[in-house]
Amino acid sequence: MTLAVLYKLLAIMATVAMGWLAARLGWLGRIAAKGGTGTRGSAGTGGNDPARVLSNVAFTLFVPALLFRTMVRQDLSAMPWPTLAAYFVPAVLCALGFYAWQRRAGLQPAAAPATRSVAAVYGNAVQLGIPMAAALFGESGLALHLALVSLHGVLLLTMLTVLVEADIARGTEQASHRDTLRITVRNTLIHPVVLPVIMGLAWNLTGIGLHPVIDQTLLGLGSAGVPVCLVLIGVSLATHGAREGLAIALRLSAFKLLLMPAVVLLVAHLGFGLAGMPLAVLVMMAALPVGSNAIIFAQRYGTQEGVATLAILASTVCFMATAALWLALLGAMGAMG
């Protein structure tokens, strides 16, 4: 692991610690009592709960701004689609497989299986992934990593949003199949993740582009999401404690750090014939620790907050060891140049 990546890891943990300290000292207001439950888009345990306030702002303002700007600025014709498919095919399979496992286990409430699935497959591709790719693979590797980042949230979060909204709609009392479909489609289309993606893609296809003032506004809002989400992790840790959901958080971390990159390695190498630097970029993208979107997704649906918080922390700490493992394996395969 390079010194730059180590510094980034330490900076992430320091920001989380500052969020925890701010919550414990009451700088952000009242911390809601443990065990409180919330509903989608609500204040949950109360409008003064700092975790819910931060989550709502991030999910309804910062994340949509980031997704919309990403889709508008994306040069779709220049994307390395075969290489991207080598990553997202196994990533989607991992997400669907984990989701099916959680559904089969009867996990409740209805939003819990998809919410856990976000933690199992969605990595910290920006804060940690970008400096890692730049340090390990140079300019060409960073370019490929950024192409992956541009579709990372768009594909995985959109897919998991559809699944969670379908589960919630099915859980509605006496809902018919037609009602379930109608509710799922409506709630998915107006969702803070899906709607800006659709609008951004539509704007992209017009070829108009963004006015500099609008672009800078969206850039500022999107950039704010990263530190806010890290602070939210610390606040959530102060709210839920360090023991709630620890066992499942460790299993989620193992899935994200070990199983998912193994699946990507096998599918990309054997199924798509990738080798060398492109293969290494894809595997290390899959090997990244759980991203902060897991906590705002959990806060959005009022479930698995403690699990998501601990999964982010545990996987980030363990990444120091697992990254070295994957880099050694890739080096033995001749993929590290």
Side-chain angles (χ1 to χ4, degrees), residues 36-60:
T37 57
T39 57
R40 181 178 56 214
S42 71
T45 53
N48 293 327
D49 182 355
R52 298 236 178 254
V53 172
L54 287 174
S55 173
N56 287 339
V57 171
F59 208 79
T60 59

Side-chain angles (χ1 to χ4, degrees), residues 42-330:
S42 71
T45 53
N48 293 327
D49 182 355
R52 298 236 178 254
V53 172
L54 287 174
S55 173
N56 287 339
V57 171
F59 208 79
T60 59
L61 188 59
F62 299 148
V63 171
L66 175 63
L67 292 174
F68 178 80
R69 183 175 184 269
T70 298
M71 289 307 300
V72 172
R73 292 171 57 87
Q74 187 62 59
D75 185 357
L76 300 176
S77 63
M79 298 289 281
W81 294 112
T83 304
L84 295 179
Y87 178 82
F88 285 108
V89 167
V92 168
L93 289 176
C94 284
L96 293 176
F98 188 88
Y99 166 78
W101 173 33
Q102 297 300 294
R103 277 288 308 278
R104 183 162 186 162
L107 187 64
Q108 293 296 324
T115 300
R116 279 192 186 177
S117 299
V118 174
V121 300
Y122 195 88
N124 190 341
V126 175
Q127 295 167 276
L128 191 55
I130 289 177
M132 180 192 70
L136 294 177
F137 307 116
E139 186 176 341
S140 58
L142 177 60
L144 176 55
H145 179 83
L146 291 175
L148 290 167
V149 169
S150 69
L151 296 179
H152 188 223
V154 171
L155 290 180
L156 294 181
L157 288 185
T158 299
M159 180 187 71
L160 291 167
T161 295
V162 173
L163 292 176
V164 73
E165 291 295 344
D167 285 342
I168 292 173
R170 275 194 296 268
T172 304
E173 273 190 50
Q174 299 178 338
S176 65
H177 291 298
R178 183 174 180 178
D179 287 338
T180 297
L181 178 61
R182 176 180 57 81
I183 294 171
T184 300
V185 171
R186 182 194 65 197
N187 289 344
T188 298
L189 290 177
I190 64 174
H191 196 277
V193 167
V194 179
L195 184 59
V197 169
I198 296 174
M199 293 176 62
L201 179 59
W203 194 289
N204 184 312
L205 295 176
T206 67
I208 296 175
L210 292 173
H211 187 278
V213 174
I214 298 176
D215 184 54
Q216 287 301 308
T217 301
L218 293 173
L219 176 61
L221 289 172
S223 300
V226 170
V228 167
C229 287
L230 289 179
V231 170
L232 174 61
I233 294 167
V235 174
S236 183
L237 182 63
T239 303
H240 296 280
R243 294 183 180 273
E244 184 177 326
L246 180 59
I248 184 60
L250 292 175
R251 289 198 290 271
L252 284 169
S253 298
F255 188 98
K256 183 67 189 72
L257 297 173
L258 298 173
L259 184 57
M260 185 174 175
V263 173
V264 169
L265 174 61
L266 291 173
V267 174
H269 185 55
L270 300 179
F272 287 82
L274 282 190
M277 185 270 291
L279 177 64
V281 172
L282 266 60
V283 171
M284 293 311 297
M285 171 76 170
L288 288 167
V290 179
S292 56
N293 270 313
I295 184 61
I296 62 172
F297 213 85
Q299 290 281 353
R300 165 77 175 180
Y301 292 101
T303 181
Q304 308 295 304
E305 293 101 323
V307 169
T309 299
L310 290 175
I312 293 168
L313 294 175
S315 62
T316 301
V317 172
C318 293
F319 178 71
M320 298 181 187
T322 57
L325 172 68
W326 288 113
L327 290 172
L329 177 59
L330 290 166

